[in-house]
Amino acid sequence: MTSNNSIYDRFFSTKEMNLIFSDEEFINKILYVELMLSKANYKLNIIPYKAFKDIKKVINSFAININSIKKNIEISGVPTLEILKTLESNLDSSSKQYLHFGATSQDIIDTAVMLQIKDCKSILLNHIKKLSNNIYLLLNDNKETIMVGRTRNMQAAVTTFGLKAAYWLLPLLRYKDKLEYIFNNGFPSVQLGGPVGNLALYKKLGLEVKGKLAELLDLNNSLVTWHTQRENLADYCGVLSLITGSLGKIGKDILALGKTEVNELEILNGGKSSAMPHKNNPIKAELLITLANLNANHLSIMHNSIVHENERDGISWVMEWQTLSKMIKLCIASLHQANLCLNSLKINKDIMKKNLDLTNGLAMSDYYFDLLLKFYPYEILTKKFSKIITKVKSNKSNLAKVIIEELGSHVLNNKDIDFNKHLGSNHKLINLVIKEYKKHY
């Protein structure tokens, strides 16, 4: 709901997000909801036109006093009461009873938050599109860039950097689908229920007013009031956390492959050290992991906020106020930082090949084991191959050469190791991801 500016702000948000979630903008959203509520009430002949005109005039001339609202919120628990008090003091006496008619503070605050989420929609989807395009270009340029794959922090088997990048891309395409499904199925939606969610003050016109308010605000009209049904927000935040989580995975890969002794990836223009002039710290990759961890923790709060007691729960509701805006800002920040990170990423293809060669062919041990099964039963070969692996490791010898030395040239006639022979469906998998990307963009 608020923006906490600090020297670290660029890590955890962007200028756009800070504007959307600033106190001033949130209050403007509250005022706009109040204005459209009055208009909906007038359109359905619930309040007089004169009262609507008076309310509109007072709202349009409202001077935001952040300090006054902050001071009052400690007593009232909501920002709306001070705003309504100020508005009411400037209305004609005949109009006062029609301000905020039929609503409760939760209606106004929830709907204002929905408007903020609506403002973020295109920004979020555009960031995903931009990052997806960056990764697509990366994988397209590296389809043939062979490297050693690593499992559980150890060298494993041969793969390509193109496939690694393809697996960075695919989750983003799925998250685009998830977000569009959420946005196309009633989210964000208007909130209007009155004190206990039954629109009682409107008598038989409650649903009509709710529908008219949704129309005026260009929000979805939910089937019913959702004061205590908060899974819509938790569902949305779940996707935000998934996005930052997958970007955290990209950051972790970059950190692992960018270690000095590995040096397969480099982030150009990285962070500097105050004590060690040679350092090029991978700040952006580290930040992606930090943001992933933060959003994963915030998501648990959003899940806890689903647990509302009766018709309104001040505890669960207030838990959302800081958490929801933080999760959106962290997600956008992560997408922004990921784009910056990839734009400054250098792929050291020669070093990838060199590190693969340093495995002395062990990155293809399963390939050779499978070939040798034509000559030896499985149990016998298992024992022989174990000795071969030990010899390769101790002598730093070429695996193919040791196989010929130990088992004879009749089992293998080529001492040269061709890593490309053991890529399996690598290129088909990359092409499937490319096809999926082109379906989305």
Side-chain angles (χ1 to χ4, degrees):
M1 189 179 295
T2 61
S3 172
N4 296 317
N5 293 314
S6 74
I7 58 172
Y8 302 112
D9 197 54
R10 291 191 177 187
F11 282 175
F12 305 117
S13 188
T14 64
K15 287 183 179 179
E16 277 182 310
M17 290 298 102
N18 284 343
L19 177 61
I20 289 172
F21 290 104
S22 67
D23 289 334
E24 291 80 4
E25 186 59 24
F26 181 61
I27 292 166
N28 281 330
K29 289 285 192 284
I30 287 175
L31 293 168
Y32 184 58
V33 176
E34 290 286 0
L35 177 59
M36 291 301 104
L37 175 63
S38 294
K39 187 172 183 177
N41 284 334
Y42 150 65
K43 290 284 187 181
L44 292 167
N45 299 314
I46 293 169
I47 69 171
Y49 177 63
K50 181 184 175 184
F52 166 63
K53 278 184 65 179
D54 193 17
I55 291 168
K56 181 179 180 181
K57 177 184 174 183
V58 169
I59 286 176
N60 287 340
S61 61
F62 183 87
I64 296 173
N65 186 332
I66 295 293
N67 290 330
S68 176
I69 293 169
K70 284 182 177 179
K71 184 178 179 181
N72 178 266
I73 203 171
E74 292 182 24
I75 301 166
S76 66
V78 288
T80 43
L81 292 190
E82 181 66 14
I83 295 170
L84 290 169
K85 178 184 172 184
T86 304
L87 291 172
E88 190 177 309
S89 68
N90 290 290
L91 286 172
D92 291 340
S93 58
S94 61
S95 302
K96 293 179 189 287
Q97 62 182 307
Y98 299 116
L99 175 67
H100 191 70
F101 184 82
T104 188
S105 287
Q106 185 172 3
D107 294 326
I108 306 303
I109 291 171
D110 280 352
T111 302
V113 169
M114 291 296 106
L115 291 174
Q116 289 178 308
I117 291 173
K118 185 169 76 116
D119 287 348
C120 297
K121 177 183 172 181
S122 61
I123 298 169
L124 176 58
L125 291 173
N126 285 338
H127 272 287
I128 293 172
K129 180 179 180 179
K130 183 178 178 183
L131 181 58
S132 296
N133 182 62
N134 268 346
I135 300 175
Y136 166 71
L137 294 174
L138 197 63
L139 78 86
N140 217 29
D141 290 342
N142 289 279
K143 290 180 184 177
E144 310 292 335
T145 305
I146 59 171
M147 63 182 294
V148 61
R150 296 165 173 90
T151 61
R152 303 185 75 169
N153 295 309
M154 303 295 286
Q155 292 176 335
V158 62
T159 186
T160 66
F161 186 69
L163 186 61
K164 182 182 287 289
Y167 290 168
W168 290 353
L169 173 60
L170 196 56
L172 287 176
L173 303 181
R174 291 195 290 264
Y175 301 149
K176 176 181 182 288
D177 290 342
K178 287 177 184 290
L179 284 170
E180 288 182 341
Y181 177 83
I182 288 171
F183 290 137
N184 291 332
N185 285 272
F187 186 86
S189 61
V190 74
Q191 176 76 286
L192 185 64
V196 293
N198 60 8
L199 298 153
L201 282 176
Y202 293 119
K203 298 181 173 60
K204 294 182 179 181
L205 289 176
L207 294 177
E208 285 79 358
V209 178
K210 187 163 82 72
K212 178 57 71 173
L213 180 60
E215 177 190 325
L216 293 171
L217 293 171
D218 193 25
L219 289 172
N220 292 288
N221 184 20
S222 57
L223 181 66
V224 296
T225 301
W226 48 276
H227 284 165
T228 58
Q229 301 165 61
R230 315 303 283 187
E231 82 287 347
N232 55 348
L233 292 169
D235 193 24
Y236 172 67
C237 288
V239 182
L240 301 181
S241 182
L242 287 172
I243 292 169
T244 50
S246 289
L247 301 190
K249 185 268 188 291
I250 294 174
K252 209 156 198 177
D253 282 353
I254 292 171
L255 283 185
L257 298 178
K259 290 178 180 178
T260 307
E261 60 271 24
V262 179
N263 199 31
E264 293 179 6
L265 298 178
E266 283 182 76
I267 299 177
L268 304 177
N269 302 315
K272 303 303 179 185
S273 167
S274 62
M276 296 166 282
H278 67 283
K279 292 290 292 294
N280 183 49
N281 293 323
I283 304 300
K284 290 180 176 60
E286 292 173 336
L287 186 56
L288 294 180
I289 303 168
T290 299
L291 296 171
N293 291 336
L294 287 171
N295 252 1
N297 281 299
H298 290 324
L299 182 60
S300 67
I301 298 175
M302 292 304 297
H303 282 171
N304 284 329
S305 71
I306 293 173
V307 188
H308 271 247
E309 184 176 336
N310 293 322
E311 282 64 56
R312 182 170 301 105
D313 189 328
I315 299 168
S316 296
W317 186 37
V318 173
M319 283 163 59
E320 292 175 356
W321 290 358
Q322 286 284 317
T323 310
L324 175 59
S325 59
K326 280 182 180 177
M327 289 196 71
I328 298 172
K329 289 196 286 185
L330 290 173
C331 183
I332 298 291
S334 183
L335 288 162
H336 174 65
Q337 293 293 337
N339 270 312
L340 294 177
C341 186
L342 293 188
N343 287 340
S344 62
L345 192 66
K346 181 185 176 187
I347 317 298
N348 293 325
K349 298 182 181 183
D350 292 342
I351 295 177
M352 286 181 174
K353 179 61 170 62
K354 179 184 175 183
N355 287 343
L356 187 57
D357 290 336
L358 288 173
T359 69
N360 294 311
L362 291 179
M364 289 182 66
S365 62
D366 54 337
Y367 169 79
Y368 285 111
F369 187 89
D370 186 60
L371 284 180
L372 294 174
L373 283 172
K374 298 174 184 176
F375 301 94
Y376 298 94
Y378 177 81
E379 290 184 1
I380 293 173
L381 180 60
T382 298
K383 292 178 181 178
K384 289 181 177 291
F385 209 76
S386 178
K387 293 178 181 178
I388 289 170
I389 296 295
T390 300
K391 187 173 180 180
V392 171
K393 288 181 176 180
S394 60
N395 297 343
K396 306 295 182 186
S397 301
N398 178 296
L399 176 60
K401 182 180 177 182
V402 174
I403 288 172
I404 292 171
E405 289 174 357
E406 293 294 315
L407 303 179
S409 59
H410 68 287
V411 299
L412 203 65
N413 56 20
N414 192 347
K415 295 179 183 179
D416 296 326
I417 292 182
D418 183 0
F419 290 108
N420 287 296
K421 286 183 178 179
H422 197 37
L423 287 174
S425 298
N426 184 95
H427 293 88
K428 287 182 179 179
L429 290 165
I430 290 175
N431 287 333
L432 284 172
V433 175
I434 289 173
K435 185 178 178 181
E436 194 67 21
Y437 170 77
K438 290 182 176 179
K439 279 198 300 186
H440 283 75
Y441 297 109

